[in-house]
Amino acid sequence: MTEPLDHAPAQANTLLRFLALTLGSVGVVYGDIGTSPLYAFREALRPFTAGGVEREEVIGLISLMLWTLTFIVTLKYVLFLLRADNDGEGGTLSLLALLMKKAPRYTTGMFVAGILGAALFIGDAMITPALSVLSAVEGLKLVTPALHDYVLPISTAIIVLLFAVQSRGTGAVSIFFGPITLIWFLVMGAAGIAHIGDDLSILAAFNPVHAVTFLWNAGLVGFIVLGAVFLTVTGAEALYADLGHFGRQPIQAAWFAIVFPALALNYLGQGAMVLSHPEALSNPFFLMFPSWALLPVVILATAATIIASQSVITGAFSLVRQAIHLGFLPRFEICYTSETQTGQIYLPLVNTALLIGVLVLMFVFGSSESLAPAYGVSITGAMIIDTVLAFAFVCYLWNWSLLKAAAFLLPLFLLELVFLGANLFKIHHGGYVPILFAGALMTIMWTWRKGVRLLREKTSRQDVPLDQFIAAVERKSEHAPVVVPGTAIFLTATPDTTPAVLLHNIKHNHVLHEHNVILTIKTARVPYVPEKDRYSLTKISERFSKLELRFGFMDEQDVSRALAHCRREGFKFQIMSTSFYLGRRKLVADPQSGLPRWQDKLFIAMADSAIDPTDYFNLPPNRVVELGEQVII
C-alpha cells in the first residue's frame, strides 16, 4: 500500500516539469503562429473587399484555414516531423548535419537545400517582427483614428527596444512568455466563442468540401487567396526548430490542448462575425472586441507579437551558431547570456543585421497590409525544404522504401508547392524581399565554403607530414632547435600535417618546447558531445602529442574548459606554463587563382569580420602567440 506513496513525489515532480515545459512551449514555440489571426483572415478577404463577399466564400475561406492548420501543422509538424530528430534536436541545419553524415552521396544537393532553408528561416526572422508588431499596433487606429500617424513611430520604438535588450539575455523575460501567450490564446478563443453564435452556419467550415468548392468556383482569385490563407501557419517551422528546447510531448500537448482549439475558435468567430456584420471586413480580428476592451487587447496583442518576434530572433541566433560550427559561415562573436543555459546566446553582428533589416522593411512598406505579401514566400519555401529533407531522413534513417516515403510525403509536398505557387503571384507586391535575401545569404554561405576549400587546397601544397617533421627536429644535429621548458599547443585543422605556425616558430625563433601538442577541434554532426567523449590524446613521441577535442554543433566550444577537464582526467596541462600558437593569414585577392574578383573580395571581407580565435575558443589571451603569413587566393 505504501509503494504508490513512495513514488508520488517523483511523479509529481515529473508532472510539474511536463506542465512547465508545455507552458514554456506555448510562449516560445507557438508565439509566431499565435499572432497569425491578427492579419491572416483579413488578408484572405482583401480580394473581396470591393464587391462584397458571399456567404459560401466566407465559409470556404475559414474551411481552408482550418484544414491548412490540420494538414500542415498537425499532421506534418506535430505528429510527424517532431519524430525526425538529430539526438533530440530539430530544425533544418540539425537535420542536414545528420543526413550529410548518413547519406554522403547526396551531400551537395542536401547542402544546397539546407542552406536555402536556413536562409529562408532567417528571412522570416526579419519579416516576423516587422509584420507582427505593425499589425498589433495598428489596432490603435480603432481605439482612436487620431493615433493613425503614430503607428509607425510606436512600432519602431518597440522594435529598437526589443533588439537593444538582446545583449542582456532573455532568461528572466522568457519566464513570462508562457503565461502571457497562454492568456493571449485564451482571449482569442473566448472572442471566437462569443461570436460563433452570430451565425452558426460558420460551423459548416469543418466540412472540407466547402474549401474545395471555394477553390473550384473562385478560379484564379481563389488561387491567389491561398497565399493569404497560408499566413495561418506562419511560425509552424518553429515547432521543429525548438524541439531540443522543450521535447516532443510538451510541444504536442500544447498544440492539442491550447493552441489549435484557440486558433480554430478564433477563425470561426471571425468568419461568423463577417457573415453577420459585413462591415467588419476591414479588420475582423480587432472588431470582435467591444470598444472598452480594444485598448487592453491591443496592449496584449503587442506583447504577444513581441514574444513572437523574440522567438524568431532567438531561433536565428541558434541557427547561425549551428551554421558557424558546421563550417557554413565564418566565426562570429557568440556571447553566452546565461551561466547554465547554453541555448541562451547573443550574436552582436547578427542582431545588428536583423535590426537594420526589420527597420528597412517597416519604413519601406509602412503597414502590415503592404508587408503581408512578402511573408508567405519565405515560409512556404522553408516548409518545402523541410519536406525534402524529411524524405531523405525516412529513407536513410527509418529505412522506408521509396514508395512508402513518396506515398506519405508527396501529397504534403504537392500541397506546399501549390501554396508556394500562390505566394509567387505576390512577387511584385513584396514577395521578392525574402527571395533576394535568401539568395544573398546562400551566396555568402556558398562563397565561404568554396573559399575555405580553395584556401585549404593552396596551403596543403606546402604541407609537411607531421611524422617526417618530428623525425627531423628530434634528430641530434648541430642545426637542431633549442629546447625550452613548457608546453606549446598548436591549433590546426589537419592533425597529420605540421601546423604552419609550428614551422614558422622553428624558422624564425629556432626553438622547440619541451612538450608540443597538436590540437585539432572538430565539430561532430550531433547537437551535443558528452564530456567523456570530448577529447582523445595520442602520444607520438617524447616531445609530441596529438589532442583532438570534439564538440557538438550546439555546444559552446570552450577550449580552456575542455583542457581543464583533461587535467582532471590525468592529462597534465599547466595553463600558466603553456603557450597557444595560432596562425594568422593575410589573404590577398587574385582573380586568376580560383575565385572571381567579386567572390575574392566577399570571402576576404568575411574572413576579416570573423572573430579572433582566441575569443571564439575562449583561450587565455595572455598565453596566446600569433604568427602570420600572406596567402594569395
Side-chain angles (χ1 to χ4, degrees):
M1 295 293 292
T2 60
E3 186 175 345
L5 296 176
D6 292 338
H7 293 281
Q11 292 173 349
N13 289 336
T14 303
L15 179 61
L16 286 174
R17 174 173 171 76
F18 177 80
L19 292 175
L21 288 171
T22 302
L23 181 60
S25 70
V26 170
V28 176
V29 176
Y30 295 109
D32 192 0
I33 200 171
T35 59
S36 297
L38 287 168
Y39 46 79
F41 188 48
R42 181 194 71 196
E43 293 304 313
L45 288 170
R46 193 161 303 285
F48 305 100
T49 308
V53 61
E54 300 292 332
R55 172 175 297 272
E56 276 302 315
E57 291 172 336
V58 172
I59 295 174
L61 278 174
I62 296 299
S63 183
L64 272 173
M65 291 179 166
L66 294 179
W67 285 101
T68 299
L69 285 169
T70 300
F71 280 111
I72 292 182
V73 183
T74 305
L75 293 181
K76 177 185 172 181
Y77 281 96
V78 176
L79 295 179
F80 171 63
L81 267 186
L82 287 184
R83 298 177 181 273
D85 65 283
N86 185 350
D87 284 359
E89 288 291 330
T92 303
L93 287 186
S94 179
L95 194 56
L96 174 63
L98 182 62
L99 289 171
M100 288 175 70
K101 180 175 66 175
K102 297 290 184 180
R105 287 184 300 168
Y106 304 101
T107 296
T108 302
M110 288 187 294
F111 169 73
V112 172
I115 64 172
L116 176 58
L120 290 169
F121 182 88
I122 296 177
D124 177 32
M126 283 188 179
I127 300 175
T128 292
L131 177 61
S132 299
V133 172
L134 277 172
S135 61
V137 177
E138 282 168 354
L140 290 173
K141 294 188 292 186
L142 298 176
V143 177
T144 169
L147 293 175
H148 180 278
D149 294 334
Y150 295 94
V151 169
L152 190 56
I154 292 173
S155 300
T156 302
I158 290 171
I159 289 296
V160 171
L161 185 61
L162 174 64
F163 280 94
V165 301
Q166 295 303 311
S167 61
R168 300 183 178 274
T170 59
V173 182
S174 63
I175 296 174
F176 301 99
F177 282 9
I180 291 174
T181 313
L182 176 62
I183 293 171
W184 170 248
F185 279 115
L186 293 176
V187 167
M188 283 199 301
I193 292 173
H195 283 279
I196 288 175
D198 291 357
D199 195 322
L200 289 175
S201 64
I202 196 64
L203 296 177
F206 283 115
N207 186 348
V209 171
H210 289 280
V212 176
T213 303
F214 168 81
L215 291 176
W216 184 266
N217 294 332
L220 182 61
V221 173
F223 187 68
I224 295 173
V225 164
L226 279 177
V229 170
F230 198 79
L231 295 175
T232 58
V233 296
T234 56
E237 72 282 357
L239 284 168
Y240 195 30
D242 288 318
L243 174 59
H245 294 283
F246 299 98
R248 175 166 53 88
Q249 292 181 343
I251 293 175
Q252 290 175 330
W255 174 255
F256 287 112
I258 300 167
V259 180
F260 193 20
L263 292 174
L265 288 170
N266 190 265
Y267 285 125
L268 288 167
Q270 288 190 51
M273 187 183 66
V274 168
L275 286 176
S276 59
H277 305 285
E279 66 275 10
L281 279 171
S282 60
N283 202 328
F285 180 83
F286 282 113
L287 291 175
M288 295 175 76
F289 299 92
S291 56
W292 60 265
L294 265 180
L295 185 58
V297 170
V298 169
I299 294 172
L300 181 60
T302 303
T305 57
I306 291 172
I307 292 170
S309 303
Q310 178 62 63
S311 300
V312 294
I313 293 168
T314 303
F317 288 164
S318 180
L319 186 142
V320 170
R321 177 176 67 171
Q322 292 180 39
I324 292 170
H325 288 177
L326 291 170
F328 300 159
L329 288 171
R331 299 187 189 106
F332 299 140
E333 182 181 1
I334 300 176
C335 304
Y336 291 83
T337 58
S338 170
E339 295 182 359
T340 57
Q341 300 294 322
T342 59
Q344 293 186 21
I345 58 175
Y346 166 67
L347 283 76
L349 186 62
V350 177
N351 191 66
T352 302
L354 288 177
L355 172 60
I356 293 171
V358 171
L359 292 179
V360 167
L361 287 172
M362 290 174 63
F363 281 96
V364 168
F365 288 92
S367 67
S368 63
E369 176 185 337
S370 300
L371 186 56
Y375 205 16
V377 176
S378 60
I379 305 300
T380 46
M383 288 185 176
I384 287 175
I385 296 298
D386 284 343
T387 304
V388 171
L389 293 179
F391 182 86
F393 179 90
V394 296
C395 290
Y396 282 97
L397 276 300
W398 288 354
N399 297 316
W400 284 16
S401 67
L402 289 176
L403 186 60
K404 180 179 179 182
F408 184 79
L409 288 170
L410 187 59
L412 281 172
F413 178 78
L414 293 176
L415 176 63
E416 289 167 348
L417 210 57
V418 169
F419 277 116
L420 178 61
N423 278 289
L424 290 177
F425 271 89
K426 303 184 292 185
I427 287 289
H428 59 292
H429 290 299
Y432 60 87
V433 172
I435 293 176
L436 289 177
F437 183 81
L441 195 55
M442 283 188 69
T443 301
I444 288 172
M445 290 185 177
W446 170 56
T447 299
W448 181 253
R449 292 273 287 192
K450 189 176 178 181
V452 168
R453 190 186 72 246
L454 182 64
L455 187 60
R456 189 175 294 124
E457 289 173 357
K458 283 182 171 291
T459 55
S460 66
R461 297 168 191 166
Q462 303 172 3
D463 284 347
V464 177
L466 184 61
D467 53 354
Q468 292 181 19
F469 171 80
I470 294 173
V473 297
E474 291 187 340
R475 189 180 303 125
K476 301 292 184 181
S477 73
E478 59 181 17
H479 301 294
V482 177
V483 177
V484 296
T487 301
I489 297 179
F490 300 90
L491 272 71
T492 179
T494 53
D496 294 326
T497 59
T498 310
V501 67
L502 173 54
L503 293 172
H504 288 310
N505 190 43
I506 294 286
K507 178 180 178 181
H508 296 290
N509 298 326
H510 309 292
V511 298
L512 182 69
H513 283 72
E514 187 178 7
H515 301 289
N516 299 273
V517 179
I518 310 302
L519 173 60
T520 307
I521 300 169
K522 292 191 174 181
T523 300
R525 300 205 185 277
V526 294
Y528 303 98
V529 172
E531 201 72 48
K532 63 183 178 62
D533 300 327
R534 175 82 68 213
Y535 57 88
S536 60
L537 185 70
T538 305
K539 190 168 184 178
I540 307 172
S541 69
E542 192 62 32
R543 298 193 189 283
F544 285 87
S545 302
K546 285 183 185 178
L547 175 63
E548 181 179 292
L549 295 180
R550 292 178 291 273
F551 297 94
F553 58 77
M554 295 290 287
D555 281 323
E556 178 184 0
Q557 298 195 352
D558 191 329
V559 172
S560 293
R561 186 185 302 167
L563 291 178
H565 185 79
C566 288
R567 286 206 311 273
R568 289 198 300 270
E569 296 298 322
F571 300 147
K572 303 300 182 184
F573 292 106
Q574 299 300 324
I575 289 293
M576 296 314 296
S577 63
T578 299
S579 297
F580 294 84
Y581 283 82
L582 304 178
R584 180 174 290 276
R585 292 176 175 138
K586 177 178 176 56
L587 304 179
V588 179
D590 179 8
Q592 307 302 320
S593 68
L595 292 177
R597 181 174 291 277
W598 69 268
Q599 216 166 14
D600 266 339
K601 292 183 177 180
L602 177 58
F603 178 72
I604 292 172
M606 285 192 289
D608 291 342
S609 69
I611 185 176
D612 191 287
T614 301
D615 298 324
Y616 188 81
F617 293 119
N618 194 27
L619 302 176
N622 60 336
R623 307 303 306 172
V624 173
V625 179
E626 292 188 353
L627 296 175
E629 63 176 327
Q630 192 174 82
V631 180
I632 297 175
I633 62 167

